[in-house]
Amino acid sequence: MSVHKLENPRRNVADTAEPLGFRPLYRQVKAIFVRRLVDGVWAPGESLPSEGQLATEIGVSQGTVRKALDELAAENLLVRRQGRGTFVAEHDERRILFQFFKLVHDDGERRFPDSTVLGVETGKADESEYVALDLDGEADVIRIRRLRSLDAVPIILETLTLPQRVFPGLEAGPIPNNLYSLFAARYGVTIANARERLKAVALDADEASQLAAPVGTAALRIDRIAFSLDGSPVERRLSICLTKEAHYLSDLR
Amino acid sequence: MSVHKLENPRRNVADTAEPLGFRPLYRQVKAIFVRRLVDGVWAPGESLPSEGQLATEIGVSQGTVRKALDELAAENLLVRRQGRGTFVAEHDERRILFQFFKLVHDDGERRFPDSTVLGVETGKADESEYVALDLDGEADVIRIRRLRSLDAVPIILETLTLPQRVFPGLEAGPIPNNLYSLFAARYGVTIANARERLKAVALDADEASQLAAPVGTAALRIDRIAFSLDGSPVERRLSICLTKEAHYLSDLR
DNA sequence: GAGTGGTCTAGACCACGAT
DNA sequence: TCGTGGTCTAGACCACTCG
């Protein structure tokens, strides 16, 4: 039944000494599942086979499958719903809002900002870009510049840098507000997590005119690198944010 | 053996309809453990009885105890070490550095900043303080103002506000660099988590002189509220941070 | 009622750390 | 060698969702 080679499917008397490290069975099972997500065998929104089916298919107990699925759910890659099944997570607005959008209006409400694209261009990566995206110096990138507004008030000036190799042709089409959903649907690239570095800066002349604020106004500069399922950086996003009526919310747990 | 009243120790035929909600056994067990942490029955650094001992004591299976302990470990309240045992988490420098201190030098190294206390005072909470700490308007608070430096460079101007009721006499003694450790040791108050709100601001004259930077320099303003084990806010910490050589690091998962 | 994930149990064995 | 937490299994039953 099982078509997967699992290390040490049963550690028995005849085992030679383990060379180094030990990989529990449920992590090997998890790796199989991650591979299916990366390969698109299981696509966003789809429901997975039941725990029991997966267990017999792979040849382990249901408890082992459960532990693998639980870890993937904890990483927001799967969504489990009692009585319904297990589903591949989607980058719908709600998920983005809670997982990837930390700028919240001071009134406490989370809202999804509108976007106006200011420009799209392609070119060679500059140093900060190829370092961030782990590219070589001659790599081509796509740059998208857009202005984002909450309640029609411009609040974020955003510059995205994407490796052209990963997203060929993206520069030609329309740029949707929800990019991560497009990455998944059109390129099979799932954004799994991101790292943001924040600094306070003063607006320069260009930023000031775009954001309709005085030159020199203090603003939040967010330098985000987003990673795909396989751990490689696939997006760099530099945001300049006004924080007069909004703040960056960070939960420390 | 068990001295704890567990709801529905066994759901059986005679059960009347459940009124509302359902509380799994392992969460009830977890609540017992949290209570022991709050009451100081299990103090920071101490080792807990083994899973088996706890299971027989409470009268549930080892697997149920395990699930409760696993959740507490995931919340950084316990530390589990294979082969050694389960321990109550301490607020040592390393934990603080990773869990509660997000300002990182641009070179990527995490270092614990030095502190110089500028002043300690007591008084009535102002509005922002009693709102943050969920106090009534007449409550007394302790305020600590200090300057924190990385590599001898002043980088954070910090104002702490603490409810005097929770930390009586704290204003009289010396203020250590690691306050959370003091909270635990002297007042039995464990900081479990915190919420930070960030904005970009321009330095005023006072802040500028303390931080040895020009008036109007863009700086990061971090408004932290820290919560104790029982979920009540016990510290408000307002930090003004220079981000010329450091940044706030936020991982989105 | 059928099917799904969620809980709970009991028991065997493994990896790790200290003795 | 022993005690600890970690893994894995098998099976029973519960809570939730949907047809």
Side-chain angles (χ1 to χ4, degrees), chain B residues 7 24 62 133 166:
Chain B
E7 307 158 9
Q62 183 175 341
L133 293 171
V166 179

Side-chain angles (χ1 to χ4, degrees), chain B residues 30-124:
Chain B
K30 182 183 170 187
I32 293 172
F33 294 164
V34 168
R35 168 53 55 98
R36 293 185 184 180
L37 293 171
V38 171
D39 293 347
V41 177
W42 292 340
E46 284 182 14
S47 83
L48 270 56
S50 74
E51 296 181 348
Q53 290 172 338
L54 290 169
T56 42
E57 181 212 335
I58 298 177
V60 299
S61 79
Q62 183 175 341
T64 300
V65 166
R66 166 178 294 279
K67 194 150 184 183
L69 293 177
D70 280 344
E71 285 206 355
L72 291 168
E75 294 168 21
N76 294 309
L77 300 178
L78 298 178
V79 178
R80 316 198 74 186
R81 275 179 284 197
Q82 182 173 145
R84 297 197 49 198
T86 303
F87 302 81
V88 182
E90 291 184 271
H91 278 100
D92 55 8
E93 231 174 69
R94 214 161 67 275
R95 179 181 172 196
I96 298 231
L97 215 46
F98 280 87
Q99 191 180 354
F100 293 110
F101 197 75
K102 295 297 182 182
L103 206 70
V104 181
H105 193 278
D106 286 343
D107 66 15
E109 266 196 45
R110 295 180 110 103
R111 269 162 291 184
F112 206 61
D114 297 323
S115 298
T116 307
V117 175
L118 302 176
V120 179
E121 62 170 36
T122 60
K124 299 285 177 207

Side-chain angles (χ1 to χ4, degrees), chain A:
Chain A
M1 184 73 87
S2 167
V3 294
H4 308 280
K5 301 179 203 90
L6 299 177
E7 307 158 9
N8 311 321
R10 180 134 325 254
R11 264 160 295 281
N12 52 36
V13 191
D15 266 0
T16 57
E18 300 265 346
L20 261 180
F22 159 65
R23 190 128 160 278
L25 194 49
Y26 73 87
R27 286 215 191 265
Q28 300 175 44
V29 173
K30 183 181 170 188
I32 294 172
F33 295 164
V34 169
R35 167 54 56 99
R36 292 184 185 181
L37 292 171
V38 171
D39 292 348
V41 177
W42 292 339
E46 284 182 14
S47 83
L48 270 56
S50 75
E51 295 180 350
Q53 290 172 337
L54 290 169
T56 43
E57 182 212 334
I58 298 178
V60 298
S61 80
Q62 184 175 341
T64 300
V65 166
R66 164 178 295 279
K67 194 149 186 185
L69 293 177
D70 279 344
E71 284 206 355
L72 291 168
E75 294 167 22
N76 294 309
L77 300 178
L78 298 178
V79 177
R80 316 197 73 185
R81 275 179 285 199
Q82 183 174 151
R84 298 195 51 197
T86 303
F87 303 81
V88 182
E90 292 184 271
H91 278 102
D92 54 8
E93 234 176 64
R94 217 165 62 276
R95 179 181 173 196
I96 297 229
L97 215 46
F98 280 85
Q99 190 181 354
F100 292 110
F101 197 74
K102 295 297 182 182
L103 206 70
V104 181
H105 194 277
D106 286 343
D107 65 15
E109 265 196 45
R110 296 181 110 103
R111 269 161 291 183
F112 206 61
D114 297 323
S115 299
T116 308
V117 174
L118 302 176
V120 179
E121 61 172 34
T122 60
K124 299 284 175 208
D126 70 25
E127 191 191 343
S128 77
E129 290 169 332
Y130 66 70
V131 169
L133 293 171
D134 201 14
L135 303 169
D136 65 70
E138 289 305 301
D140 293 308
V141 295
I142 304 165
R143 287 193 201 89
I144 301 168
R145 196 144 197 265
R146 53 185 191 173
L147 187 64
R148 315 194 72 176
S149 307
L150 273 184
D151 308 328
V153 178
I155 190 172
I156 307 173
L157 181 62
E158 194 173 78
T159 306
L160 293 108
T161 306
L162 310 168
Q164 195 156 40
R165 220 193 137 83
V166 178
F167 301 108
L170 187 138
E171 73 277 9
I175 307 293
N177 197 353
N178 181 346
L179 267 172
Y180 290 179
S181 183
L182 174 72
F183 291 173
R186 186 153 152 209
Y187 298 96
V189 173
T190 298
I191 301 295
N193 60 75
R195 192 208 59 209
E196 298 194 322
R197 293 188 172 126
L198 282 66
K199 280 175 178 276
V201 297
L203 292 185
D204 67 24
D206 175 50
E207 294 160 351
S209 87
Q210 295 286 2
L211 289 164
V215 172
T217 302
L220 205 55
R221 177 189 184 274
I222 307 177
D223 189 346
R224 174 195 294 186
I225 301 175
F227 300 88
S228 74
L229 260 180
D230 65 7
S232 57
V234 291
E235 180 202 72
R236 194 251 190 145
R237 186 180 291 221
L238 202 55
S239 303
I240 306 292
C241 312
L242 297 182
T243 56
K244 195 180 170 201
E245 293 177 304
H247 59 268
Y248 186 97
L249 181 60
S250 176
D251 276 309
L252 277 40
R253 301 190 177 282

Side-chain angles (χ1 to χ4, degrees), chain B residues 154-170:
Chain B
I155 190 171
I156 308 174
L157 181 62
E158 193 174 77
T159 305
L160 292 109
T161 306
L162 310 169
Q164 196 157 41
R165 220 194 138 81
V166 179
F167 302 107
L170 186 138

